[in-house]
Amino acid sequence: MRTLIKHALNSDSALPEISIKGWVRTRRDSKEFSFLEVNDGTCLANIQCIADTNVAGYQDITKMTTGAALGVSGRLVESPGAGQAWEIQVTSLELIGEAPSDYPLQKKGHSAEFLREISHLRPRANLYGAVFRMRSRLAGAVHRFFEEHDFTYVHTPILTSSDCEGAGEMFRVTTHDASETKAASYGEDFFGKATYLTVSGQLEGEAFATALSNIYTFGPTFRAENSHTTRHASEFWMIEPEMAFCDLEENMNLAETFVKYLVKDALENHQGDLNIFTKFIDKGLLERLRFVVERPFVRVSYTEAVDILLASGQNFEYPVEWGANLQSEHERYLTEEHFKSPTTVYNYPKSVKPFYMRTNEDGKTVTAMDVLVPGIGEIIGGAQREERLEVLEENMKAHDLSEKDYWWYLDLRKYGTCPHAGFGMGFERMLMFITGMKNIRDVIPFARTPGSCEF
Ligand code: 4AD
Ligand code: MG
């Protein structure tokens, strides 16, 4: 519809003939005419179609109810009525698929919770149509960014035998049936060893970065963590760039440039959809997005961040002390209250971070970095990687990881090792930030969370 209308408007003919197919949003009948609002999901706006009672197909008009699929042919004309610039003067109507009166999206104003229960129909609601169009465009912008920066796109595996984060939050993949799972040894399973759905493509990404220099992955990742928050999903998409000959500073630069690029792209190219999010979801959205593009991010070390939190006088649920991980409440205090700006925190305590991060001179901290944004908290997590073979081996011992399992990862340090760094951006969290949507379940077409895997 979007393309067709654009095309028709650019043609010379004053009254272009067009035909569209879409779904009825509303219908209103008068004596001589019916007014149908039709939408095909390609853009937010409906097109108003005016059919007089003797056009072809009009005999089915009473079945052209909200939700019904419809074909419309007619002339596109400037609308004399208020509320729309263009309308279609119908020459023929075709009822393609009826929607009986129990169609759940009859009325407006359903709750987000109810709409999650009908995720298969939810994209037909205006707001969700806008969210999922934005999701598609954001994915496009991700690829454009990396193409413009000469990164190579790598497809890392979804089935894996290595736990990248070492946090033990993996879904096991097996061909044994439930009764056998416990008893059967991994050796007899499909791959002859324990296998899982990946939590991150980073380790395989590093193999490619130490060959092709700048690479990125963009794909689904899975975490069996029992987190019931508005920001955690069991299946989510992650973008993971990895750069050879790169240190923490350059890594932070890329992360911040990337966030700005995506926000700028949305502001410049998708104003229409952003307006609906601003109107219905978050009045401060546009202002916040502009702020992100215009201002530099704040950067603080973990140690400075802890000092700020300790001096804040806030009553946090989780106590703040040097050496403990920052909790979401701490992250949000820093970015929302203290700095009122996106904030990059770096050099975290070694003890709270995975084995692959590079140990700093002080021996106590690692070259980790997290990018925090208002309203969400952590949107990006990354690090410069430990490129020194002996130090990496020590770290693995400390994390109880077997060198045998990671033989290939160690080879990357044995042969032509180099400083390298990268990060992971949670795609849904970025989409939440850009749309202002408050729950990760509402920016994933079919969300998977603990206890919920419908559709
Ligand atoms: O901080 P995380 O765990 O980092 C990694 O996985 C690294 N291997 C990335 C790398 O360096 N290549 O996850 C990265 C990001 C987080 O900042 C967050 O935005 C998102 O992934 N994320 C989740 N998003 C939704 N649901 C979850 N359960 C998430 N866990 C992490
Ligand atoms: Mg993290």
Side-chain angles (χ1 to χ4, degrees):
M1 209 164 99
R2 190 161 164 251
T3 329
L4 192 72
I5 291 174
K6 251 195 218 158
H7 186 80
L9 294 180
N10 289 333
S11 77
D12 292 335
S13 129
L15 296 175
E17 275 290 330
I18 64 170
S19 51
I20 58 156
K21 292 190 174 79
W23 294 269
V24 178
R25 286 287 208 260
T26 59
R27 195 193 80 230
R28 189 161 54 81
D29 302 321
S30 75
K31 246 200 205 129
E32 292 122 46
F33 299 101
S34 286
F35 298 86
L36 295 135
E37 291 279 341
V38 178
N39 187 292
D40 70 355
T42 52
C43 60
L44 179 67
N46 303 327
I47 183 98
Q48 173 163 279
C49 306
I50 302 178
D52 73 54
T53 53
N54 47 34
V55 299
Y58 194 85
Q59 69 278 5
D60 290 329
I61 195 77
T62 54
K63 295 181 189 154
M64 296 175 188
T65 51
T66 299
L70 203 66
V72 181
S73 298
R75 284 178 299 274
L76 188 66
V77 298
E78 277 188 65
S79 173
Q84 66 279 321
W86 300 89
E87 59 190 28
I88 297 178
Q89 278 177 357
V90 177
T91 50
S92 75
L93 287 173
E94 181 198 356
L95 177 65
I96 297 172
E98 293 179 43
S101 59
D102 61 350
Y103 180 60
L105 293 174
Q106 297 287 2
K107 285 189 231 108
K108 287 184 179 164
H110 289 302
S111 70
E113 289 76 16
F114 172 72
L115 289 168
R116 269 173 228 148
E117 286 168 18
I118 52 163
S119 293
H120 60 305
L121 299 174
R122 183 172 69 161
R124 301 182 189 195
N126 279 341
L127 177 65
Y128 292 86
V131 167
F132 294 117
R133 280 190 300 271
M134 188 60 95
R135 186 174 169 117
S136 163
R137 289 162 188 165
L138 185 63
V142 165
H143 289 299
R144 262 197 318 282
F145 174 83
F146 287 114
E147 263 166 38
E148 286 173 18
H149 288 77
D150 278 333
F151 280 60
T152 301
Y153 180 30
V154 178
H155 295 127
T156 48
I158 289 168
L159 295 174
T160 183
S161 57
S162 49
D163 180 359
C164 170
E165 296 306 297
E169 288 164 341
M170 307 211 287
F171 288 100
R172 173 145 171 229
V173 176
T174 175
T175 51
H176 287 148
D177 71 31
S179 59
E180 290 172 314
T181 309
K182 260 211 177 116
S185 72
Y186 294 130
E188 290 160 15
D189 210 338
F190 191 86
F191 293 108
K193 66 200 302 199
T195 44
Y196 308 91
L197 296 177
T198 187
V199 294
S200 160
Q202 177 197 321
L203 304 190
E204 292 91 350
E206 285 183 55
F208 270 72
T210 51
L212 309 182
S213 284
N214 290 346
I215 65 97
Y216 72 106
T217 74
F218 182 12
T221 49
F222 307 85
R223 294 202 183 172
E225 54 192 328
N226 198 15
S227 302
H228 297 257
T229 79
T230 54
R231 289 158 292 107
H232 287 88
S234 312
E235 176 179 320
F236 62 99
W237 282 58
M238 190 150 59
I239 302 135
E240 296 183 274
E242 189 71 33
M243 293 163 288
F245 311 105
C246 173
D247 62 13
L248 180 67
E249 170 97 19
E250 293 164 301
N251 200 31
M252 293 194 283
N253 291 345
L254 187 83
E256 293 170 3
T257 311
F258 183 39
V259 171
K260 281 173 184 274
Y261 180 96
L262 296 179
V263 172
K264 192 158 176 254
D265 184 77
L267 280 171
E268 284 176 0
N269 301 316
H270 311 303
Q271 187 76 41
D273 285 328
L274 289 185
N275 287 341
I276 167 167
F277 303 131
T278 307
K279 189 165 167 205
F280 293 108
I281 300 297
D282 184 347
K283 302 273 178 279
L285 182 67
L286 281 181
E287 197 188 331
R288 196 168 60 244
L289 294 181
R290 284 197 201 103
F291 182 93
V292 169
V293 173
E294 285 158 16
R295 300 268 295 272
F297 289 20
V298 170
R299 277 187 197 172
V300 276
S301 70
Y302 167 88
T303 304
E304 290 168 290
V306 165
D307 289 343
I308 290 168
L309 293 166
L310 286 173
S312 70
Q314 294 284 308
N315 210 349
F316 293 116
E317 190 185 334
Y318 293 88
V320 179
E321 59 175 327
W322 201 99
N325 224 338
L326 295 184
Q327 298 295 324
S328 155
E329 55 175 343
H330 308 139
E331 296 174 342
R332 294 187 61 170
Y333 175 80
L334 291 170
T335 176
E336 287 166 23
E337 309 285 329
H338 187 80
F339 292 119
K340 296 188 169 54
S341 158
T343 303
T344 307
V345 183
Y346 60 93
N347 287 348
Y348 282 73
K350 190 177 162 106
S351 57
V352 299
K353 290 292 182 186
F355 75 98
Y356 55 71
M357 295 189 177
R358 191 178 198 279
T359 309
N360 281 318
E361 298 286 291
D362 62 13
K364 293 190 313 194
T365 60
V366 288
T367 49
M369 60 123 186
D370 278 1
V371 177
L372 317 175
V373 295
I376 294 175
E378 179 189 338
I379 201 165
I380 284 179
Q384 182 176 342
R385 321 303 186 188
E386 185 55 75
E387 86 284 12
R388 298 162 294 188
L389 182 60
E390 321 76 61
V391 187
L392 183 61
E393 284 171 338
E394 268 168 42
N395 289 351
M396 289 180 58
K397 268 197 207 102
H399 282 86
D400 261 340
L401 298 172
S402 138
E403 288 189 17
K404 231 173 72 215
D405 293 342
Y406 292 84
W407 65 274
W408 60 274
Y409 189 68
L410 292 166
D411 267 4
L412 306 176
R413 277 66 181 170
K414 195 166 151 198
Y415 306 119
T417 193
C418 68
H420 61 288
F423 61 81
M425 169 190 278
F427 182 61
E428 286 79 11
R429 293 204 187 163
M430 188 64 204
L431 187 58
M432 288 169 75
F433 185 60
I434 285 184
T435 57
M437 297 294 282
K438 300 286 182 282
N439 195 313
I440 195 163
R441 294 171 182 82
D442 299 333
V443 299
I444 301 181
F446 298 98
R448 275 81 181 89
T449 50
S452 168
C453 191
E454 193 59 42
F455 308 104

